[in-house]
Amino acid sequence: MDCYFFGTFNPPHFGHIHLAEHIKKEFSFEKIIFVPAFAPPHKETLDFSHRFNMLKLCVEQSLGEVSDIESTLQTPSYSFQTVDKILKTTPKSKLWDGKVPFILGYDAFIGIEKWKNPDILKQNIKFVVLKRHSGIEEEDIFALKDRGFDFVLSKNEFLDISSNEIREIARENNVQGGTSSKQNRRDLSKFIDKKVEEYIYDNRLYK
């Protein structure tokens, strides 16, 4: 059984990888499938091809794979469309009680009823919900179960890394000359894979 990890991944960082590794182990998933959003409805983000390429650089085969499924669907990229496509193209053996296993944090899950077509999500997703330090109480999460949402709670917490901070540091480093001024760069090694870091500078991203 596989589990799906949706996100913008702008850029993919160690928080994403750490979470995927622990979720895979905790629930004995065969692999984690990373699904970068193609055209998020409420968020401006880096071009899909760059985010897809960076994920390919940092997701090891032993952990999972990266899917370009959202690039094949109608925009904007609503989760219910992607989930419907997954259900139509995935063997039942790869699903969880006939549903798509889907990683989501407390802060996003608490607002799930505001997503596009939440009833479709309710019927077709088994959510793997993880804690984040967002002030949301567990009883508020369990209230969603009473309203028909199917989920399990992970014992793991999201490694709190700021994508905004990564982008800002990358911007500053690119302004200082990118690959030609390595000695002047602020260190990003504690946030992102070295291959992702070099990709950012080689392609002058976040400048």
mmCIF file of all heavy atoms in Angstrom, residues 1-6 23-24 27-35 79 82-84 86-87 90-104 121-130 150-152:
data_model
loop_
_atom_site.group_PDB
_atom_site.id
_atom_site.type_symbol
_atom_site.label_atom_id
_atom_site.label_comp_id
_atom_site.label_asym_id
_atom_site.label_seq_id
_atom_site.Cartn_x
_atom_site.Cartn_y
_atom_site.Cartn_z
ATOM 1 N N MET A 1 0.831 -1.193 0.000
ATOM 2 C CA MET A 1 0.000 0.000 0.000
ATOM 3 C C MET A 1 0.877 1.259 0.000
ATOM 4 O O MET A 1 1.858 1.334 0.736
ATOM 5 C CB MET A 1 -0.899 -0.010 1.241
ATOM 6 C CG MET A 1 -1.857 1.163 1.334
ATOM 7 S SD MET A 1 -3.059 0.930 2.669
ATOM 8 C CE MET A 1 -1.995 0.752 4.107
ATOM 9 N N ASP A 2 0.513 2.199 -0.854
ATOM 10 C CA ASP A 2 1.253 3.440 -0.959
ATOM 11 C C ASP A 2 0.501 4.573 -0.266
ATOM 12 O O ASP A 2 -0.716 4.507 -0.070
ATOM 13 C CB ASP A 2 1.457 3.813 -2.435
ATOM 14 C CG ASP A 2 2.202 2.742 -3.216
ATOM 15 O OD1 ASP A 2 3.010 2.029 -2.596
ATOM 16 O OD2 ASP A 2 1.974 2.626 -4.433
ATOM 17 N N CYS A 3 1.238 5.626 0.079
ATOM 18 C CA CYS A 3 0.623 6.801 0.690
ATOM 19 C C CYS A 3 1.021 8.034 -0.111
ATOM 20 O O CYS A 3 2.151 8.138 -0.593
ATOM 21 C CB CYS A 3 1.077 6.953 2.142
ATOM 22 S SG CYS A 3 0.198 8.251 3.044
ATOM 23 N N TYR A 4 0.093 8.970 -0.253
ATOM 24 C CA TYR A 4 0.304 10.151 -1.076
ATOM 25 C C TYR A 4 0.572 11.385 -0.219
ATOM 26 O O TYR A 4 -0.107 11.620 0.782
ATOM 27 C CB TYR A 4 -0.912 10.385 -1.974
ATOM 28 C CG TYR A 4 -1.044 9.318 -3.040
ATOM 29 C CD1 TYR A 4 -1.621 8.083 -2.734
ATOM 30 C CD2 TYR A 4 -0.557 9.508 -4.321
ATOM 31 C CE1 TYR A 4 -1.715 7.079 -3.690
ATOM 32 C CE2 TYR A 4 -0.647 8.510 -5.285
ATOM 33 C CZ TYR A 4 -1.231 7.300 -4.959
ATOM 34 O OH TYR A 4 -1.309 6.309 -5.907
ATOM 35 N N PHE A 5 1.557 12.134 -0.653
ATOM 36 C CA PHE A 5 1.979 13.337 0.050
ATOM 37 C C PHE A 5 1.851 14.499 -0.924
ATOM 38 O O PHE A 5 2.679 14.684 -1.801
ATOM 39 C CB PHE A 5 3.424 13.160 0.522
ATOM 40 C CG PHE A 5 3.941 14.208 1.471
ATOM 41 C CD1 PHE A 5 3.152 15.268 1.902
ATOM 42 C CD2 PHE A 5 5.250 14.136 1.936
ATOM 43 C CE1 PHE A 5 3.633 16.220 2.775
ATOM 44 C CE2 PHE A 5 5.748 15.087 2.809
ATOM 45 C CZ PHE A 5 4.938 16.125 3.223
ATOM 46 N N PHE A 6 0.772 15.286 -0.782
ATOM 47 C CA PHE A 6 0.518 16.428 -1.649
ATOM 48 C C PHE A 6 1.174 17.681 -1.064
ATOM 49 O O PHE A 6 1.305 17.816 0.149
ATOM 50 C CB PHE A 6 -0.988 16.704 -1.766
ATOM 51 C CG PHE A 6 -1.752 15.734 -2.622
ATOM 52 C CD1 PHE A 6 -1.575 14.359 -2.509
ATOM 53 C CD2 PHE A 6 -2.690 16.190 -3.529
ATOM 54 C CE1 PHE A 6 -2.303 13.471 -3.288
ATOM 55 C CE2 PHE A 6 -3.423 15.316 -4.317
ATOM 56 C CZ PHE A 6 -3.231 13.953 -4.201
ATOM 57 N N ILE A 23 6.422 8.437 8.429
ATOM 58 C CA ILE A 23 5.074 7.951 8.109
ATOM 59 C C ILE A 23 5.163 6.585 7.425
ATOM 60 O O ILE A 23 4.385 5.671 7.714
ATOM 61 C CB ILE A 23 4.340 8.957 7.206
ATOM 62 C CG1 ILE A 23 4.026 10.245 7.988
ATOM 63 C CG2 ILE A 23 3.054 8.336 6.646
ATOM 64 C CD1 ILE A 23 3.033 10.094 9.103
ATOM 65 N N LYS A 24 6.096 6.434 6.514
ATOM 66 C CA LYS A 24 6.277 5.163 5.812
ATOM 67 C C LYS A 24 6.537 4.039 6.810
ATOM 68 O O LYS A 24 5.949 2.952 6.715
ATOM 69 C CB LYS A 24 7.441 5.279 4.828
ATOM 70 C CG LYS A 24 7.741 4.015 4.020
ATOM 71 C CD LYS A 24 8.846 4.290 3.011
ATOM 72 C CE LYS A 24 9.136 3.060 2.143
ATOM 73 N NZ LYS A 24 9.891 2.029 2.871
ATOM 74 N N PHE A 27 3.337 3.324 9.461
ATOM 75 C CA PHE A 27 2.154 2.632 8.936
ATOM 76 C C PHE A 27 2.503 1.534 7.932
ATOM 77 O O PHE A 27 1.616 0.985 7.280
ATOM 78 C CB PHE A 27 1.200 3.654 8.299
ATOM 79 C CG PHE A 27 0.619 4.620 9.292
ATOM 80 C CD1 PHE A 27 1.168 5.889 9.438
ATOM 81 C CD2 PHE A 27 -0.440 4.257 10.106
ATOM 82 C CE1 PHE A 27 0.649 6.786 10.365
ATOM 83 C CE2 PHE A 27 -0.975 5.145 11.027
ATOM 84 C CZ PHE A 27 -0.420 6.409 11.162
ATOM 85 N N SER A 28 3.790 1.236 7.810
ATOM 86 C CA SER A 28 4.269 0.158 6.930
ATOM 87 C C SER A 28 3.814 0.333 5.477
ATOM 88 O O SER A 28 3.415 -0.644 4.811
ATOM 89 C CB SER A 28 3.790 -1.202 7.464
ATOM 90 O OG SER A 28 4.297 -1.434 8.758
ATOM 91 N N PHE A 29 3.862 1.562 4.996
ATOM 92 C CA PHE A 29 3.565 1.803 3.590
ATOM 93 C C PHE A 29 4.714 1.278 2.731
ATOM 94 O O PHE A 29 5.883 1.310 3.150
ATOM 95 C CB PHE A 29 3.370 3.297 3.320
ATOM 96 C CG PHE A 29 2.116 3.874 3.908
ATOM 97 C CD1 PHE A 29 2.167 4.878 4.859
ATOM 98 C CD2 PHE A 29 0.877 3.403 3.507
ATOM 99 C CE1 PHE A 29 1.014 5.413 5.402
ATOM 100 C CE2 PHE A 29 -0.294 3.930 4.047
ATOM 101 C CZ PHE A 29 -0.229 4.935 4.992
ATOM 102 N N GLU A 30 4.393 0.834 1.529
ATOM 103 C CA GLU A 30 5.435 0.378 0.613
ATOM 104 C C GLU A 30 6.278 1.560 0.139
ATOM 105 O O GLU A 30 7.494 1.464 0.029
ATOM 106 C CB GLU A 30 4.803 -0.339 -0.585
ATOM 107 C CG GLU A 30 4.163 -1.670 -0.222
ATOM 108 C CD GLU A 30 3.543 -2.338 -1.433
ATOM 109 O OE1 GLU A 30 4.021 -2.096 -2.567
ATOM 110 O OE2 GLU A 30 2.568 -3.088 -1.257
ATOM 111 N N LYS A 31 5.608 2.662 -0.156
ATOM 112 C CA LYS A 31 6.320 3.856 -0.574
ATOM 113 C C LYS A 31 5.455 5.086 -0.370
ATOM 114 O O LYS A 31 4.229 4.985 -0.219
ATOM 115 C CB LYS A 31 6.760 3.766 -2.043
ATOM 116 C CG LYS A 31 5.635 3.591 -3.036
ATOM 117 C CD LYS A 31 6.200 3.360 -4.441
ATOM 118 C CE LYS A 31 5.092 3.034 -5.431
ATOM 119 N NZ LYS A 31 5.627 2.716 -6.777
ATOM 120 N N ILE A 32 6.102 6.232 -0.347
ATOM 121 C CA ILE A 32 5.420 7.519 -0.274
ATOM 122 C C ILE A 32 5.488 8.152 -1.663
ATOM 123 O O ILE A 32 6.571 8.261 -2.250
ATOM 124 C CB ILE A 32 6.081 8.459 0.752
ATOM 125 C CG1 ILE A 32 6.134 7.795 2.134
ATOM 126 C CG2 ILE A 32 5.334 9.794 0.802
ATOM 127 C CD1 ILE A 32 4.798 7.496 2.767
ATOM 128 N N ILE A 33 4.339 8.545 -2.178
ATOM 129 C CA ILE A 33 4.293 9.170 -3.498
ATOM 130 C C ILE A 33 4.096 10.675 -3.319
ATOM 131 O O ILE A 33 3.058 11.125 -2.839
ATOM 132 C CB ILE A 33 3.178 8.570 -4.363
ATOM 133 C CG1 ILE A 33 3.413 7.064 -4.535
ATOM 134 C CG2 ILE A 33 3.111 9.274 -5.717
ATOM 135 C CD1 ILE A 33 2.350 6.354 -5.335
ATOM 136 N N PHE A 34 5.119 11.430 -3.674
ATOM 137 C CA PHE A 34 5.070 12.889 -3.566
ATOM 138 C C PHE A 34 4.331 13.454 -4.775
ATOM 139 O O PHE A 34 4.669 13.146 -5.924
ATOM 140 C CB PHE A 34 6.488 13.457 -3.509
ATOM 141 C CG PHE A 34 7.251 13.104 -2.264
ATOM 142 C CD1 PHE A 34 7.777 11.829 -2.083
ATOM 143 C CD2 PHE A 34 7.448 14.053 -1.260
ATOM 144 C CE1 PHE A 34 8.490 11.502 -0.936
ATOM 145 C CE2 PHE A 34 8.157 13.736 -0.105
ATOM 146 C CZ PHE A 34 8.679 12.462 0.055
ATOM 147 N N VAL A 35 3.338 14.308 -4.513
ATOM 148 C CA VAL A 35 2.522 14.878 -5.585
ATOM 149 C C VAL A 35 2.616 16.407 -5.532
ATOM 150 O O VAL A 35 1.867 17.065 -4.801
ATOM 151 C CB VAL A 35 1.051 14.437 -5.460
ATOM 152 C CG1 VAL A 35 0.232 14.981 -6.633
ATOM 153 C CG2 VAL A 35 0.937 12.921 -5.389
ATOM 154 N N SER A 79 -7.574 19.069 -5.156
ATOM 155 C CA SER A 79 -7.241 17.728 -4.675
ATOM 156 C C SER A 79 -8.274 16.688 -5.063
ATOM 157 O O SER A 79 -7.928 15.527 -5.336
ATOM 158 C CB SER A 79 -7.062 17.744 -3.151
ATOM 159 O OG SER A 79 -5.971 18.539 -2.788
ATOM 160 N N THR A 82 -7.442 15.170 -8.415
ATOM 161 C CA THR A 82 -6.281 14.288 -8.385
ATOM 162 C C THR A 82 -6.630 12.963 -7.727
ATOM 163 O O THR A 82 -6.240 11.893 -8.209
ATOM 164 C CB THR A 82 -5.122 14.957 -7.634
ATOM 165 O OG1 THR A 82 -4.982 16.306 -8.087
ATOM 166 C CG2 THR A 82 -3.829 14.206 -7.848
ATOM 167 N N VAL A 83 -7.362 13.025 -6.635
ATOM 168 C CA VAL A 83 -7.773 11.807 -5.927
ATOM 169 C C VAL A 83 -8.649 10.937 -6.823
ATOM 170 O O VAL A 83 -8.506 9.706 -6.852
ATOM 171 C CB VAL A 83 -8.503 12.178 -4.618
ATOM 172 C CG1 VAL A 83 -9.223 10.970 -4.038
ATOM 173 C CG2 VAL A 83 -7.513 12.749 -3.609
ATOM 174 N N ASP A 84 -9.549 11.552 -7.567
ATOM 175 C CA ASP A 84 -10.406 10.801 -8.490
ATOM 176 C C ASP A 84 -9.566 10.078 -9.539
ATOM 177 O O ASP A 84 -9.809 8.904 -9.843
ATOM 178 C CB ASP A 84 -11.397 11.754 -9.174
ATOM 179 C CG ASP A 84 -12.329 11.027 -10.130
ATOM 180 O OD1 ASP A 84 -13.130 10.199 -9.663
ATOM 181 O OD2 ASP A 84 -12.257 11.297 -11.348
ATOM 182 N N ILE A 86 -6.397 9.168 -9.205
ATOM 183 C CA ILE A 86 -5.655 8.104 -8.524
ATOM 184 C C ILE A 86 -6.539 6.866 -8.352
ATOM 185 O O ILE A 86 -6.108 5.731 -8.605
ATOM 186 C CB ILE A 86 -5.130 8.588 -7.159
ATOM 187 C CG1 ILE A 86 -4.031 9.640 -7.356
ATOM 188 C CG2 ILE A 86 -4.601 7.428 -6.330
ATOM 189 C CD1 ILE A 86 -3.633 10.369 -6.094
ATOM 190 N N LEU A 87 -7.769 7.071 -7.936
ATOM 191 C CA LEU A 87 -8.686 5.948 -7.728
ATOM 192 C C LEU A 87 -8.936 5.174 -9.016
ATOM 193 O O LEU A 87 -9.063 3.946 -9.007
ATOM 194 C CB LEU A 87 -10.018 6.461 -7.170
ATOM 195 C CG LEU A 87 -10.024 6.858 -5.695
ATOM 196 C CD1 LEU A 87 -11.331 7.568 -5.352
ATOM 197 C CD2 LEU A 87 -9.847 5.636 -4.811
ATOM 198 N N THR A 90 -5.337 3.213 -9.957
ATOM 199 C CA THR A 90 -4.551 2.505 -8.942
ATOM 200 C C THR A 90 -5.217 1.188 -8.546
ATOM 201 O O THR A 90 -6.416 1.165 -8.247
ATOM 202 C CB THR A 90 -4.389 3.386 -7.683
ATOM 203 O OG1 THR A 90 -3.788 4.626 -8.057
ATOM 204 C CG2 THR A 90 -3.523 2.700 -6.649
ATOM 205 N N PRO A 91 -4.471 0.079 -8.524
ATOM 206 C CA PRO A 91 -5.041 -1.194 -8.059
ATOM 207 C C PRO A 91 -5.527 -1.077 -6.614
ATOM 208 O O PRO A 91 -4.942 -0.350 -5.808
ATOM 209 C CB PRO A 91 -3.856 -2.165 -8.163
ATOM 210 C CG PRO A 91 -2.894 -1.519 -9.100
ATOM 211 C CD PRO A 91 -3.059 -0.044 -8.926
ATOM 212 N N LYS A 92 -6.586 -1.801 -6.285
ATOM 213 C CA LYS A 92 -7.145 -1.737 -4.937
ATOM 214 C C LYS A 92 -6.138 -2.153 -3.876
ATOM 215 O O LYS A 92 -6.213 -1.715 -2.723
ATOM 216 C CB LYS A 92 -8.396 -2.606 -4.847
ATOM 217 C CG LYS A 92 -9.601 -1.996 -5.540
ATOM 218 C CD LYS A 92 -10.869 -2.779 -5.234
ATOM 219 C CE LYS A 92 -12.088 -2.100 -5.849
ATOM 220 N NZ LYS A 92 -13.354 -2.841 -5.540
ATOM 221 N N SER A 93 -5.179 -2.994 -4.272
ATOM 222 C CA SER A 93 -4.160 -3.451 -3.324
ATOM 223 C C SER A 93 -3.266 -2.310 -2.848
ATOM 224 O O SER A 93 -2.594 -2.426 -1.816
ATOM 225 C CB SER A 93 -3.301 -4.540 -3.951
ATOM 226 O OG SER A 93 -2.603 -4.052 -5.096
ATOM 227 N N LYS A 94 -3.241 -1.223 -3.604
ATOM 228 C CA LYS A 94 -2.423 -0.069 -3.262
ATOM 229 C C LYS A 94 -3.207 0.971 -2.470
ATOM 230 O O LYS A 94 -2.672 2.024 -2.109
ATOM 231 C CB LYS A 94 -1.858 0.588 -4.530
ATOM 232 C CG LYS A 94 -0.924 -0.303 -5.336
ATOM 233 C CD LYS A 94 0.390 -0.533 -4.622
ATOM 234 C CE LYS A 94 1.366 -1.298 -5.502
ATOM 235 N NZ LYS A 94 2.667 -1.511 -4.815
ATOM 236 N N LEU A 95 -4.492 0.691 -2.216
ATOM 237 C CA LEU A 95 -5.353 1.624 -1.485
ATOM 238 C C LEU A 95 -5.578 1.116 -0.060
ATOM 239 O O LEU A 95 -5.220 0.008 0.297
ATOM 240 C CB LEU A 95 -6.685 1.778 -2.217
ATOM 241 C CG LEU A 95 -6.605 2.299 -3.662
ATOM 242 C CD1 LEU A 95 -7.990 2.264 -4.310
ATOM 243 C CD2 LEU A 95 -6.017 3.703 -3.709
ATOM 244 N N TRP A 96 -6.182 1.955 0.763
ATOM 245 C CA TRP A 96 -6.453 1.622 2.158
ATOM 246 C C TRP A 96 -7.960 1.553 2.336
ATOM 247 O O TRP A 96 -8.626 2.577 2.332
ATOM 248 C CB TRP A 96 -5.855 2.702 3.069
ATOM 249 C CG TRP A 96 -5.762 2.315 4.515
ATOM 250 C CD1 TRP A 96 -6.419 1.308 5.139
ATOM 251 C CD2 TRP A 96 -4.970 2.961 5.513
ATOM 252 N NE1 TRP A 96 -6.091 1.265 6.469
ATOM 253 C CE2 TRP A 96 -5.192 2.276 6.733
ATOM 254 C CE3 TRP A 96 -4.098 4.049 5.506
ATOM 255 C CZ2 TRP A 96 -4.577 2.652 7.928
ATOM 256 C CZ3 TRP A 96 -3.496 4.418 6.689
ATOM 257 C CH2 TRP A 96 -3.721 3.735 7.890
ATOM 258 N N ASP A 97 -8.492 0.358 2.460
ATOM 259 C CA ASP A 97 -9.941 0.159 2.544
ATOM 260 C C ASP A 97 -10.647 0.820 1.366
ATOM 261 O O ASP A 97 -11.735 1.404 1.515
ATOM 262 C CB ASP A 97 -10.485 0.721 3.863
ATOM 263 C CG ASP A 97 -9.898 0.049 5.082
ATOM 264 O OD1 ASP A 97 -9.554 -1.146 4.985
ATOM 265 O OD2 ASP A 97 -9.759 0.714 6.125
ATOM 266 N N GLY A 98 -9.999 0.735 0.187
ATOM 267 C CA GLY A 98 -10.597 1.313 -1.008
ATOM 268 C C GLY A 98 -10.437 2.805 -1.140
ATOM 269 O O GLY A 98 -10.982 3.420 -2.064
ATOM 270 N N LYS A 99 -9.676 3.405 -0.221
ATOM 271 C CA LYS A 99 -9.492 4.857 -0.227
ATOM 272 C C LYS A 99 -8.021 5.222 -0.447
ATOM 273 O O LYS A 99 -7.130 4.392 -0.273
ATOM 274 C CB LYS A 99 -9.985 5.455 1.086
ATOM 275 C CG LYS A 99 -11.475 5.244 1.344
ATOM 276 C CD LYS A 99 -11.913 5.890 2.649
ATOM 277 C CE LYS A 99 -13.404 5.694 2.888
ATOM 278 N NZ LYS A 99 -13.845 6.362 4.148
ATOM 279 N N VAL A 100 -7.802 6.473 -0.809
ATOM 280 C CA VAL A 100 -6.451 6.969 -1.054
ATOM 281 C C VAL A 100 -5.826 7.434 0.253
ATOM 282 O O VAL A 100 -6.346 8.369 0.880
ATOM 283 C CB VAL A 100 -6.479 8.141 -2.052
ATOM 284 C CG1 VAL A 100 -5.082 8.734 -2.224
ATOM 285 C CG2 VAL A 100 -7.033 7.693 -3.398
ATOM 286 N N PRO A 101 -4.738 6.820 0.713
ATOM 287 C CA PRO A 101 -4.042 7.317 1.906
ATOM 288 C C PRO A 101 -3.390 8.667 1.579
ATOM 289 O O PRO A 101 -2.686 8.796 0.581
ATOM 290 C CB PRO A 101 -2.982 6.238 2.180
ATOM 291 C CG PRO A 101 -3.435 5.037 1.424
ATOM 292 C CD PRO A 101 -4.122 5.569 0.216
ATOM 293 N N PHE A 102 -3.600 9.647 2.435
ATOM 294 C CA PHE A 102 -3.290 11.043 2.099
ATOM 295 C C PHE A 102 -2.751 11.737 3.347
ATOM 296 O O PHE A 102 -3.452 11.898 4.335
ATOM 297 C CB PHE A 102 -4.598 11.695 1.628
ATOM 298 C CG PHE A 102 -4.529 13.090 1.094
ATOM 299 C CD1 PHE A 102 -4.844 13.334 -0.225
ATOM 300 C CD2 PHE A 102 -4.215 14.169 1.907
ATOM 301 C CE1 PHE A 102 -4.846 14.627 -0.733
ATOM 302 C CE2 PHE A 102 -4.198 15.454 1.420
ATOM 303 C CZ PHE A 102 -4.512 15.684 0.099
ATOM 304 N N ILE A 103 -1.484 12.150 3.319
ATOM 305 C CA ILE A 103 -0.851 12.811 4.469
ATOM 306 C C ILE A 103 -1.320 14.267 4.563
ATOM 307 O O ILE A 103 -1.317 14.992 3.579
ATOM 308 C CB ILE A 103 0.678 12.771 4.329
ATOM 309 C CG1 ILE A 103 1.186 11.325 4.341
ATOM 310 C CG2 ILE A 103 1.342 13.575 5.453
ATOM 311 C CD1 ILE A 103 2.657 11.192 3.989
ATOM 312 N N LEU A 104 -1.674 14.678 5.782
ATOM 313 C CA LEU A 104 -2.128 16.054 5.988
ATOM 314 C C LEU A 104 -1.853 16.474 7.431
ATOM 315 O O LEU A 104 -2.026 15.684 8.356
ATOM 316 C CB LEU A 104 -3.624 16.159 5.692
ATOM 317 C CG LEU A 104 -4.190 17.534 5.354
ATOM 318 C CD1 LEU A 104 -3.526 18.122 4.104
ATOM 319 C CD2 LEU A 104 -5.686 17.454 5.150
ATOM 320 N N LEU A 121 -13.856 14.250 -1.103
ATOM 321 C CA LEU A 121 -12.684 13.919 -0.294
ATOM 322 C C LEU A 121 -13.072 13.003 0.861
ATOM 323 O O LEU A 121 -12.373 12.038 1.174
ATOM 324 C CB LEU A 121 -12.047 15.203 0.243
ATOM 325 C CG LEU A 121 -11.620 16.245 -0.798
ATOM 326 C CD1 LEU A 121 -11.056 17.480 -0.108
ATOM 327 C CD2 LEU A 121 -10.612 15.668 -1.765
ATOM 328 N N LYS A 122 -14.190 13.302 1.476
ATOM 329 C CA LYS A 122 -14.678 12.501 2.610
ATOM 330 C C LYS A 122 -14.907 11.047 2.199
ATOM 331 O O LYS A 122 -14.585 10.114 2.943
ATOM 332 C CB LYS A 122 -15.981 13.116 3.133
ATOM 333 C CG LYS A 122 -16.564 12.431 4.348
ATOM 334 C CD LYS A 122 -17.948 12.983 4.678
ATOM 335 C CE LYS A 122 -17.936 14.449 5.015
ATOM 336 N NZ LYS A 122 -19.276 14.927 5.459
ATOM 337 N N GLN A 123 -15.438 10.843 1.019
ATOM 338 C CA GLN A 123 -15.772 9.500 0.552
ATOM 339 C C GLN A 123 -14.553 8.700 0.099
ATOM 340 O O GLN A 123 -14.547 7.465 0.181
ATOM 341 C CB GLN A 123 -16.759 9.598 -0.622
ATOM 342 C CG GLN A 123 -18.101 10.178 -0.266
ATOM 343 C CD GLN A 123 -18.902 10.579 -1.499
ATOM 344 O OE1 GLN A 123 -18.540 10.261 -2.624
ATOM 345 N NE2 GLN A 123 -19.991 11.304 -1.280
ATOM 346 N N ASN A 124 -13.511 9.399 -0.354
ATOM 347 C CA ASN A 124 -12.450 8.708 -1.087
ATOM 348 C C ASN A 124 -11.056 8.777 -0.469
ATOM 349 O O ASN A 124 -10.112 8.209 -1.034
ATOM 350 C CB ASN A 124 -12.371 9.258 -2.513
ATOM 351 C CG ASN A 124 -13.632 8.973 -3.304
ATOM 352 O OD1 ASN A 124 -14.071 7.834 -3.381
ATOM 353 N ND2 ASN A 124 -14.230 10.010 -3.872
ATOM 354 N N ILE A 125 -10.900 9.444 0.679
ATOM 355 C CA ILE A 125 -9.573 9.591 1.284
ATOM 356 C C ILE A 125 -9.547 9.033 2.697
ATOM 357 O O ILE A 125 -10.461 9.245 3.490
ATOM 358 C CB ILE A 125 -9.142 11.076 1.331
ATOM 359 C CG1 ILE A 125 -8.957 11.631 -0.081
ATOM 360 C CG2 ILE A 125 -7.846 11.241 2.120
ATOM 361 C CD1 ILE A 125 -8.594 13.097 -0.102
ATOM 362 N N LYS A 126 -8.475 8.310 2.999
ATOM 363 C CA LYS A 126 -8.135 7.932 4.373
ATOM 364 C C LYS A 126 -6.970 8.842 4.762
ATOM 365 O O LYS A 126 -5.844 8.677 4.294
ATOM 366 C CB LYS A 126 -7.695 6.466 4.428
ATOM 367 C CG LYS A 126 -7.287 5.977 5.804
ATOM 368 C CD LYS A 126 -8.428 5.295 6.496
ATOM 369 C CE LYS A 126 -7.970 4.510 7.716
ATOM 370 N NZ LYS A 126 -9.062 3.747 8.327
ATOM 371 N N PHE A 127 -7.227 9.832 5.587
ATOM 372 C CA PHE A 127 -6.226 10.823 5.937
ATOM 373 C C PHE A 127 -5.261 10.290 7.000
ATOM 374 O O PHE A 127 -5.682 9.641 7.958
ATOM 375 C CB PHE A 127 -6.890 12.095 6.471
ATOM 376 C CG PHE A 127 -7.674 12.855 5.439
ATOM 377 C CD1 PHE A 127 -9.048 12.666 5.313
ATOM 378 C CD2 PHE A 127 -7.048 13.757 4.603
ATOM 379 C CE1 PHE A 127 -9.783 13.366 4.366
ATOM 380 C CE2 PHE A 127 -7.768 14.468 3.656
ATOM 381 C CZ PHE A 127 -9.138 14.267 3.535
ATOM 382 N N VAL A 128 -3.997 10.557 6.792
ATOM 383 C CA VAL A 128 -2.972 10.298 7.800
ATOM 384 C C VAL A 128 -2.611 11.669 8.362
ATOM 385 O O VAL A 128 -1.934 12.463 7.720
ATOM 386 C CB VAL A 128 -1.734 9.620 7.187
ATOM 387 C CG1 VAL A 128 -0.676 9.392 8.255
ATOM 388 C CG2 VAL A 128 -2.128 8.298 6.520
ATOM 389 N N VAL A 129 -3.114 11.956 9.550
ATOM 390 C CA VAL A 129 -3.039 13.311 10.109
ATOM 391 C C VAL A 129 -1.915 13.398 11.129
ATOM 392 O O VAL A 129 -1.787 12.554 12.011
ATOM 393 C CB VAL A 129 -4.389 13.700 10.761
ATOM 394 C CG1 VAL A 129 -4.332 15.120 11.298
ATOM 395 C CG2 VAL A 129 -5.524 13.556 9.747
ATOM 396 N N LEU A 130 -1.096 14.428 10.997
ATOM 397 C CA LEU A 130 0.018 14.605 11.919
ATOM 398 C C LEU A 130 -0.062 15.936 12.632
ATOM 399 O O LEU A 130 -0.607 16.921 12.130
ATOM 400 C CB LEU A 130 1.350 14.492 11.182
ATOM 401 C CG LEU A 130 1.578 15.496 10.058
ATOM 402 C CD1 LEU A 130 3.018 15.958 10.055
ATOM 403 C CD2 LEU A 130 1.244 14.852 8.730
ATOM 404 N N ASP A 150 -12.630 10.078 7.417
ATOM 405 C CA ASP A 150 -11.908 8.875 7.820
ATOM 406 C C ASP A 150 -10.426 9.223 7.978
ATOM 407 O O ASP A 150 -9.788 9.694 7.030
ATOM 408 C CB ASP A 150 -12.093 7.797 6.747
ATOM 409 C CG ASP A 150 -11.556 6.442 7.169
ATOM 410 O OD1 ASP A 150 -11.150 6.292 8.340
ATOM 411 O OD2 ASP A 150 -11.536 5.539 6.302
ATOM 412 N N PHE A 151 -9.867 8.988 9.165
ATOM 413 C CA PHE A 151 -8.458 9.332 9.363
ATOM 414 C C PHE A 151 -7.833 8.525 10.488
ATOM 415 O O PHE A 151 -8.518 7.938 11.326
ATOM 416 C CB PHE A 151 -8.299 10.829 9.658
ATOM 417 C CG PHE A 151 -8.885 11.289 10.974
ATOM 418 C CD1 PHE A 151 -8.123 11.291 12.129
ATOM 419 C CD2 PHE A 151 -10.196 11.726 11.048
ATOM 420 C CE1 PHE A 151 -8.650 11.723 13.337
ATOM 421 C CE2 PHE A 151 -10.737 12.166 12.249
ATOM 422 C CZ PHE A 151 -9.962 12.162 13.395
ATOM 423 N N VAL A 152 -6.502 8.505 10.476
ATOM 424 C CA VAL A 152 -5.709 7.986 11.577
ATOM 425 C C VAL A 152 -4.748 9.085 11.995
ATOM 426 O O VAL A 152 -4.344 9.919 11.176
ATOM 427 C CB VAL A 152 -4.924 6.716 11.179
ATOM 428 C CG1 VAL A 152 -5.868 5.563 10.926
ATOM 429 C CG2 VAL A 152 -4.040 6.972 9.960
#
